[in-house]
Amino acid sequence: MRKLAWFAGSFAGAVFLAVYLLPEAVLLPAGACCTVGGLSGLFLKGDRRLRLLLVGFGLGAGLLWTGVYIALFHTPARLVAERTQTITARVTEWPEEESHWVEISFHQGEGWPLRALLWLETVPEDLRPGDELALTASFRLADTLSGTDSDYYYSKGITLLAYGEEEVQVTRPDRVPVWYWPAYVARAIRQSALRCFPDQVGPLVAALTTGDTSGLDGGFYSALRRTGTAHVVAVSGLHVSFLSGFLTALLGRRRRLSAAVGIALMFFFAAAAGNTPSVLRAAFMQSMLLLAPLVDREDDRATSLCTILMLLLIQNPYAAASISLQLSFASVAGIYLFTGPLCQRWQKCLPDKPKGFRARFGCLAFRFLTASLATTLGAIALTTPLTAYYFGSVSLISPLANLLTLWAVSDLFLGGLAVAVLGLLLPGLAGLLALPVSLAGEYLLWMVPRLAALPFAAVPAGSVYIVAWLALVYALLVAYLVLPGRKSLLLPAGLTVCALCWALLLQAGRYTGGQLTLSVLDVGQGLSTAVYSQGASALVDCGGSGLDDAGDTAADYFQALGLSRIDVVALTHYHTDHANGVARLLERMEVGLLILPDVEPEDPLRQSILALAEEKGVDTLLVADVTTLTLGGAELTIYPPLGAGDANEEGLSVLCTAGEFDALITGDMDEIIEGRLLKYGNLPDLEALVVGHHGSKYSTSEELLLAVRPELAVISVGYNTYGHPAPETLERLAAAGCQIYRTDWSGTITITSE
């Protein structure tokens, strides 16, 4: 009986319940009740008696400890929140370049130190971990993210956000405390990697070895996410297993030495990588694998996984809300559940003792390929639902991408780490050795974006057809593994592929079946409107404040329809919330024509967009008069700027027409410019209106609404401090009889004209 697994699993389950479902006030009473309930096992016999005791005590311990943790860390933080006071704090991490945020810890009274993120208007130069700061700051709880309740910061152990109000006094200690050494080592390795490797490969090596992705090109990181390979730059079990395997091979059969050196190095490596849940999980697990034979114990996977999860949650119960922790444990659990059975079935046909070189080589190659494929499928089996839920997409290219890239990741990680360490001592020699190691990095930089650019590389998880396909895939996988008898892989694989093709066709048909499809994309506080008509596509504006780059959001939308080209991209005006995603969009998609207002020739954003368009070979059209374009079965009428002065007043507006359907996009124009548009634009009655300026009270005037009488009104809005959408605007829309839709409530909103 797995005694530790029953207790640890119950403890972890209770913590997840406490974090996600149970109110704080009931944690201690509920924990006491579970503990008392566990004592009822004394009235049973045999395994049931012990199992009930372990489960009851585990649940009770998990709930009680979460309550105690809140009392130790969250309650003191609440006493500080909404106050301004002078503090003395320690810097705990290196500040990111060009960032105003600094991670600190400080004592409030005689309790445990509180961790906070400190915002400074000007971050002192050369600030480093261990430095002491004296300042006055205002505080608030770190319980929201972009205006929404979230445990994101709590999962990292950060309970407060602080805002510095005066000049900061910095005091540097004579000696750096020992617990900050890993951060210094990580920074030294990162800087060495950037020095030794070529410009593009260096940031990738730094990300693989230290987990610092700040130097990665945003387009490449987007490609990693789209191909399901972003885990390679989030230091985790993959990297720890590479390191452990290398040490085992290096030290040979000296198991005690391998265990001692390996465990010490892995935990130091985990500390250097920031002690994220995924890397700590991997360090604990590899340590158990190394220790098991030394203490004459077999490695029980369920016990190891549950115990490690319990240890991480003891450190911080709110780590249960960490996406990286959930993905890490789901990946390992999937490998444990599915990889072994899949390998056994696929390799059952191989002879035990192949004869001849060709037979032996063929068997070896087949075992390697099937093991790699089974491991990849096992890793994504349980992580796919999580990535679909958290990131809203399913990477269809992920199995192939992992097979094609993991060998290069292994070579680049081990070679890059060795070169970076050597670069600290012998930079000249390290620079020479970096040249052959860089080949693996160049391969990744070449391969990943090309896989990501394939149509249908990733598809939206919100589609009912994709959800149904995933359900079928899991049902076939379970049946293949559970049902007895010898079964061919061809039937389930064929059904999976056929069902996927149907799902993709049906999904694309939802957006391409009518005369015109207009989708207001969810880009946060910004605007990006996709238009599709009978094989032709357009995008009006491409900017926003969402967690994803607006260019990525737009490119994902079109590529999910099987498109690799956008015929027309029109920008209403030169503000970042309408245009900051253009650079990423042009990296990922071919664009036929770029339309811009012919105003503000000295505007830096206009100049950078024109320069990038010229670099990519994109035709540009600067609009100063009314322009009409044919888009498939629809027509785009682009109205020139009708005002002067502010960029909002000098913007374009776009009318999309298909048969009896008309939709108007006004950018950020105010009510005065709307009046001019009504006077000179000859606007028809509208079926859809993309509300101007994100619902500002100065736009979408009563005069406009009475003139065009829109049936639907879509507001593209995200978290903001401007009060968008304004109550006055919502009242005007309601009085005009509009059906109102908002991207901050409903996500991407799609309207299709039959």
Side-chain angles (χ1 to χ4, degrees), residues 127-141:
L127 200 62
R128 59 185 65 180
D131 286 353
E132 184 178 280
L133 306 180
L135 75 157
T136 300
S138 57
F139 295 86
R140 72 173 180 86
L141 286 176

Side-chain angles (χ1 to χ4, degrees), residues 152-174:
Y152 172 79
Y153 292 116
Y154 286 173
S155 70
K156 297 176 177 293
I158 294 170
T159 55
L160 290 164
L161 298 180
Y163 300 87
E165 297 188 352
E166 298 178 359
E167 185 177 347
V168 180
Q169 295 181 1
V170 181
T171 304
R172 181 150 297 159
D174 295 332

